[in-house]
Amino acid sequence: MTIASIQVVPSTSNESSGPSYSVVNLCRSLQVANVATTLVNLDDSLGACREIFEKTFPVNGYPARLGRSPQMREWLEATVASGNVDIIHNHSLWMMPNVYACNSVKGTDVPLVVSPRGTLSQRAMSNGSKIKKLFWPLIQRPALAHVSCFHATAMSEYDDIRRMGFKQPVAVIPNGIDIPDQRQPQRSNLRTLLYLGRIHPIKGLDMLLPAWAAVQNKYPEWQLRVVGPDNGGYLAEVRALATQLNLDRVEFTGPLVGDEKAQAYADADLFVLPTYSENFGMTVAEALAAGTPAIVTKGAPWGGLNESDAGWWIDIDKGSLIDCLESALLKPRAQLDAMGLNGRHWMERDFAWENVANIMKATYDWLLNDGPSPECVITD
């Protein structure tokens, strides 16, 4: 039987952000798994590639950053009332589309799944504007009373959900990843340590650059490449720090997409994400799928790096990062390439989109039919 779902996310406009990749690809994969999907978002995605299953609505109201759209709210409520949808799945929090999705099922039998996408982490909850501090108790938290099941991408996010006091079942299902064809690296005599992601304070670049300063003279055959879009002007601070530290062999590339992004992963000898907080970390999965080993801090749920011999999962501090770099940069290319291959096999085995979509569909089936819960669901 085909399940009719509506997936809601505020935006798919930024190709470098996690939900713009993971939510769209989940929808594609659900379609293949016999889940009819409509992806609802705001029409702020100028120049973005539209999917045939997307439906957009205009932003109309103040403040614009909250994404108010009466048209979206009315359409969601009318569609649920019509009986033409079996399940609503909301992705992320803190904007009005996320509230509309939750409130649209109020007083109905339509199950609601919510994927916080990192928005309930301790760091995310402690940072924010005055609007955010009012938005949570007055608007966002009451809307979450209608949740039938949360979706966490890792056990760390399950812990965040329980820490916030929510008692509903939680399905722990990782994001999926496209497994690309193996690319031929275009490498020079300089070996590359790659950071790829948003240039944002949460990503730990204020740890990475001092750590690089501590090791750069010992490893003259290595360069650091920082790739990603500026977020709120933070790039200027990062560049200033690099100048202050007298860094050598550091390149700030700006954002890369498509083939250029894929080639950057393939060309790198080693990937690094020294994040303070991450509910998943799509860039880690992308690097591993490309065959590049990774260094990731415990701000992201990648303990499997150690178990799979695909990289290092380290404490969130500069000293641990320096120690890890001292060890990793010593390794010959052949050894790092072998670790990267381990990571690629791991992604193929556990993170292929087909598997993720089938597990999500099983969760939907359970919510609709009230049978035994899937293994991914935690009810305590």
Side-chain angles (χ1 to χ4, degrees):
M1 183 184 72
T2 299
I3 296 172
S5 79
I6 293 175
Q7 310 280 326
V8 181
V9 67
S11 175
T12 59
S13 63
N14 186 352
E15 188 171 347
S16 296
S17 73
S20 67
Y21 169 83
S22 56
V23 176
V24 171
N25 280 278
L26 175 63
C27 290
R28 289 178 184 147
S29 304
L30 285 172
Q31 297 269 63
V32 176
N34 209 28
V35 178
T37 301
T38 302
L39 174 58
V40 173
N41 56 59
L42 298 172
D43 189 13
D44 62 350
S45 311
L46 298 179
C49 177
R50 288 294 182 198
E51 302 287 342
I52 60 172
F53 50 74
E54 280 191 81
K55 185 174 181 63
T56 62
F57 293 88
V59 177
N60 185 5
Y62 178 84
R65 63 180 174 174
L66 289 180
R68 287 190 62 211
S69 178
Q71 295 94 327
M72 180 190 288
R73 175 179 55 78
E74 291 167 6
W75 183 86
L76 283 168
E77 290 176 354
T79 304
V80 170
S82 73
N84 292 327
V85 60
D86 296 310
I87 201 155
I88 301 287
H89 190 155
N90 170 69
H91 302 267
S92 194
L93 301 175
W94 299 113
M95 291 185 67
M96 290 309 298
N98 308 122
V99 176
Y100 301 150
C102 295
N103 288 342
S104 69
V105 305
K106 183 178 180 180
T108 76
D109 294 328
V110 176
L112 170 68
V113 178
V114 168
S115 303
R117 302 283 175 190
T119 56
L120 293 180
S121 71
Q122 287 183 295
R123 191 176 181 94
M125 291 299 296
S126 64
N127 293 335
S129 64
K130 292 180 180 178
I131 292 178
K132 186 174 180 180
K133 288 178 171 58
L134 292 171
F135 193 83
W136 175 251
L138 297 178
I139 299 174
Q140 183 64 87
R141 184 170 190 125
L144 294 175
H146 309 307
V147 173
S148 307
C149 180
F150 283 96
H151 161 229
T153 55
M155 284 302 298
S156 57
E157 190 165 40
Y158 163 82
D159 292 337
D160 290 334
I161 291 166
R162 290 293 184 247
R163 177 179 48 80
M164 295 303 297
F166 296 106
K167 305 298 185 183
Q168 295 97 321
V170 181
V172 182
I173 307 170
N175 285 327
I177 185 68
D178 291 314
I179 309 298
D181 294 335
Q182 193 82 55
R183 287 176 174 257
Q184 187 65 33
Q186 299 172 3
R187 288 171 171 170
S188 65
N189 291 332
L190 275 179
R191 304 173 69 184
T192 299
L193 173 65
L194 174 68
Y195 167 86
L196 193 153
R198 290 181 299 142
I199 311 302
H200 186 282
I202 205 169
K203 300 296 185 176
L205 290 165
D206 60 339
M207 261 192 296
L208 177 58
L209 296 189
W212 178 253
V215 302
Q216 64 179 359
N217 293 333
K218 298 179 184 179
Y219 302 97
E221 72 278 17
W222 281 85
Q223 65 177 340
L224 173 62
R225 192 178 188 203
V226 179
V227 174
D230 186 14
N231 193 285
Y234 187 58
L235 177 59
E237 293 184 41
V238 173
R239 286 184 177 275
L241 179 59
T243 300
Q244 178 186 334
L245 293 169
N246 296 313
L247 297 186
D248 293 324
R249 304 182 311 285
V250 176
E251 176 187 17
F252 294 94
T253 302
L256 297 176
V257 297
D259 284 344
E260 288 185 322
K261 179 181 177 182
Q263 194 63 50
Y265 284 124
D267 293 345
D269 294 88
L270 186 60
F271 175 80
V272 61
L273 179 63
T275 183
Y276 290 104
S277 179
E278 208 87 25
N279 73 299
F280 185 73
M282 281 304 307
T283 56
V284 181
E286 290 173 350
L288 294 171
T292 304
I295 297 172
V296 183
T297 55
K298 292 179 180 177
W302 284 95
L305 285 167
N306 297 335
E307 299 162 13
S308 300
D309 192 23
W312 296 263
W313 195 48
I314 63 173
D315 291 334
I316 312 172
D317 62 77
K318 185 178 71 174
S320 296
L321 182 55
I322 291 171
D323 290 344
C324 186
L325 288 174
E326 292 270 17
S327 172
L329 301 186
L330 273 175
K331 295 188 180 298
R333 263 185 171 153
Q335 188 171 352
L336 288 179
D337 287 346
M339 294 177 71
L341 190 59
N342 291 339
R344 182 177 170 87
H345 292 331
W346 176 28
M347 294 300 100
E348 291 171 338
R349 184 181 67 246
D350 294 343
F351 291 82
W353 273 115
E354 179 183 0
N355 297 337
V356 170
N358 286 334
I359 296 170
M360 189 67 75
K361 181 178 184 291
T363 303
Y364 293 169
D365 282 331
W366 165 66
L367 288 168
L368 290 165
N369 300 313
D370 199 28
S373 63
E375 290 184 8
C376 67
V377 173
I378 302 174
T379 55
D380 56 13

